[in-house]
Amino acid sequence: MPSFRVTVTIGALRPGVDPESVLPFAAAAAAARAVVEASDVAVVRGAARVVVRYTADDVGTGWRVGSEVVHRLASVAEPAAWAVTVRDGGRWYPVSAPGPAL
């Protein structure tokens, strides 16, 4: 089963949100639809960056899980930038939104 990760650069927090709650919130959002392998937060160039790694059956599902994490995070913090990547061997590759079903 492929491994994916969603990386979200966090802007301003919504009023009353505890900064320490953002990472568990993001991991729980992914866990609602996928198996979470790991989660982490780092400060990169002065901005908080949340990373949640999870498994999904295919690229379309992997992208949708990542998109849902970002959508849910928007209720507690401003997602300044985000990306979904998939692991192939030892490298991570960008995943784009799936096109419309034909």
Side-chain angles (χ1 to χ4, degrees):
M1 186 169 293
S3 184
F4 295 85
R5 68 181 177 194
V6 60
T7 303
V8 185
T9 301
I10 302 296
L13 297 180
R14 304 288 179 226
V17 173
D18 178 8
E20 292 184 18
S21 71
V22 176
L23 180 61
F25 186 89
R33 299 192 53 197
V35 174
V36 173
E37 298 176 319
S39 60
D40 191 25
V41 66
V43 177
V44 179
R45 291 188 284 275
R49 187 176 291 174
V50 170
V51 179
V52 179
R53 196 175 75 222
Y54 54 93
T55 59
D57 291 333
D58 54 52
V59 172
T61 302
W63 189 88
R64 284 188 293 278
V65 170
S67 177
E68 179 68 17
V69 169
V70 175
H71 177 75
R72 289 190 182 185
L73 269 175
S75 69
V76 297
E78 175 189 335
W82 63 282
V84 175
T85 53
V86 61
R87 188 174 182 135
D88 185 8
R91 296 187 61 191
W92 293 92
Y93 295 94
V95 173
S96 58
L102 298 178

